[in-house]
Amino acid sequence: MTALLETRALQKVYPVRAGLAHRARLFAADDVSISIERGRTLALVGESGSGKTTVGRCVLRLEEPTGGDVLLDGSSVTGLRPPQLRRLRREMQMVYQDPLDSLNPRHPVGELVAEPLLIHRIVPKSGMRTELEGLFRMVGLGPQHVNRLPHQLSGGQQQRVGIARALATGPKLVVLDEPTSALDVSVQAQIINLLRDLQRTRELTFLFISHDLAVVSLIAHRIAVMYLGQIVEIGPKNAVLDRPTHPYTRALIAATPVDHPAERRERIVVRGEPTSPIEPPAHCRLVPRCPFAQPICSQVPADLVEVVPGRWTRCVRFQREHENGVWEPAS
């Protein structure tokens, strides 16, 4: 299958002031290279501040990348002028983390879903009501919800409206930024099931941003793990969750609650404060916190290397041990 979305060494750097006269750079995203096949889901996971949302916003050109490239269907997005980008907006949309914050509280939700249809001249005003009712039914809402204000809906209903608005233009790619984190657990499951059904019926491609591995395990086909602006591991979902190669991935999995009290999971703790994203070192950024760190981890650049087909890791120690026939770092 061919990739619908591809980023190549994507970088987003913000200038910051580090003293009275010295200016430094904050690397929010650094050398991020991912690809998503058409009709599949890549989950971008990591703790808060790791750069996940920045990558999603750069993909959609809501933030201007500092370096690298973004390709949609083989065509570069980063070099497009505003008129060209506006036409492309129909093909890539976003669902935001907090559904209420993403909806204008002064307008009925039907007007908010109709807005992209009017902007892109997809549906005439005469046929708008029929189109809106169809979109609302698609996401599990009824015609009675069209004229309601956002505060008159539950959190799950608000997020369904956000999904309907994102799908109104018939996009190929949808970036989902923590779409279930503000919802109750039971509602989370409903939204995940809805997204899976919509992906199957409409052949959608998802970039799913989350910190919750339990949610990711239900929807993702592949997982990319981010730490301090960099991808530290990429691979198929089951391979990453069952046999992680990077210590940070192992720590994330260890922190996930177990399904049953009798179940035991490897306990890995990363202690201390994260390395500053301002002018970070070339070596592994997890070194100060990594329980498996060795001197070599601070001596050589931490590059993302394909250790087996389809599995990439940024762990120098693992790469060396894998070359010697050892699959996992010793604990």
Side-chain angles (χ1 to χ4, degrees):
M1 297 176 68
T2 58
L4 175 74
L5 174 71
E6 186 178 0
T7 69
R8 297 177 179 174
L10 185 67
Q11 187 180 70
K12 180 61 181 178
V13 179
Y14 296 98
V16 295
R17 187 175 295 279
L20 294 177
H22 181 62
R23 299 187 70 85
R25 298 174 300 167
L26 187 151
F27 287 76
D30 188 17
D31 190 27
V32 176
S33 297
I34 58 175
S35 64
I36 315 177
E37 295 176 345
R38 191 182 307 273
R40 309 289 280 181
T41 299
L42 174 72
L44 199 57
V45 303
E47 63 193 35
S48 297
S50 61
K52 308 183 300 296
T53 298
T54 299
V55 171
R57 292 178 65 85
C58 286
V59 163
L60 299 178
R61 285 280 303 276
L62 299 177
E63 295 272 0
E64 291 295 332
T66 307
D69 201 2
V70 177
L71 293 92
L72 185 70
D73 241 351
S75 300
S76 176
V77 174
T78 50
L80 294 181
R81 306 295 297 171
Q84 301 168 311
L85 185 60
R86 180 172 177 173
R87 289 193 293 270
L88 189 66
R89 294 261 183 236
R90 290 186 57 171
E91 300 184 5
M92 51 184 192
Q93 292 289 320
M94 189 169 192
V95 175
Y96 296 90
Q97 178 175 0
D98 190 327
L100 186 57
D101 280 352
S102 68
L103 301 173
N104 190 323
R106 299 188 178 191
H107 294 274
V109 293
E111 290 185 14
L112 303 178
V113 175
E115 189 173 14
L117 297 172
L118 294 172
I119 290 174
H120 293 285
R121 300 178 181 178
I122 297 173
V123 179
K125 289 186 178 180
S126 60
M128 187 60 69
R129 180 71 189 197
T130 301
E131 181 71 15
L132 288 177
E133 290 182 0
L135 286 168
F136 274 54
R137 282 194 297 271
M138 179 184 68
V139 297
L141 298 175
Q144 70 275 16
H145 295 105
V146 173
N147 294 323
R148 292 185 183 175
L149 294 170
H151 75 270
Q152 296 175 312
L153 303 177
S154 68
Q157 290 171 336
Q158 292 165 4
Q159 194 59 289
R160 289 173 187 269
V161 171
I163 294 170
R165 181 174 58 181
L167 300 185
T169 61
K172 299 176 182 177
L173 170 71
V174 181
V175 176
L176 300 134
D177 186 11
E178 302 268 11
T180 62
S181 63
L183 307 177
D184 294 337
V185 174
S186 60
V187 181
Q188 287 183 9
Q190 296 171 18
I191 296 299
I192 291 298
N193 289 334
L194 171 64
L195 292 172
R196 292 171 63 180
D197 290 341
L198 291 171
Q199 183 176 51
R200 183 175 61 255
T201 57
R202 298 172 70 94
E203 296 184 304
L204 296 169
T205 303
F206 291 154
L207 175 59
F208 191 92
I209 298 169
S210 180
H211 66 275
D212 191 337
L213 289 177
V215 171
V216 163
S217 67
L218 299 175
I219 192 170
H221 297 100
R222 291 175 61 81
I223 294 177
V225 182
M226 284 195 74
Y227 181 73
L228 278 181
Q230 290 186 326
I231 300 290
V232 297
E233 181 166 356
I234 306 178
K237 174 185 68 177
N238 292 336
V240 171
L241 295 180
D242 295 341
R243 306 187 73 186
T245 61
H246 197 279
Y248 180 68
T249 309
R250 298 174 72 183
L252 285 180
I253 295 172
T256 305
V258 296
D259 295 329
H260 192 277
E263 184 179 346
R264 292 292 179 266
R265 182 174 283 146
E266 178 186 26
R267 181 166 177 79
I268 297 176
V269 180
V270 287
R271 304 183 185 278
E273 295 297 321
T275 301
S276 172
I278 299 176
E279 303 291 352
H283 63 70
C284 177
R285 298 175 185 180
L286 188 67
V287 167
R289 309 175 68 196
C290 180
F292 306 115
Q294 293 183 346
I296 192 171
C297 300
S298 301
Q299 296 169 358
V300 299
D303 297 323
L304 194 64
V305 175
E306 188 174 26
V307 287
V308 294
R311 296 291 307 274
W312 300 74
T313 188
R314 203 180 284 272
C315 178
V316 174
R317 178 181 172 183
F318 175 82
Q319 293 165 11
R320 296 295 176 89
E321 294 189 352
H322 180 261
E323 290 172 358
N324 294 328
V326 180
W327 173 247
E328 293 183 331
S331 55

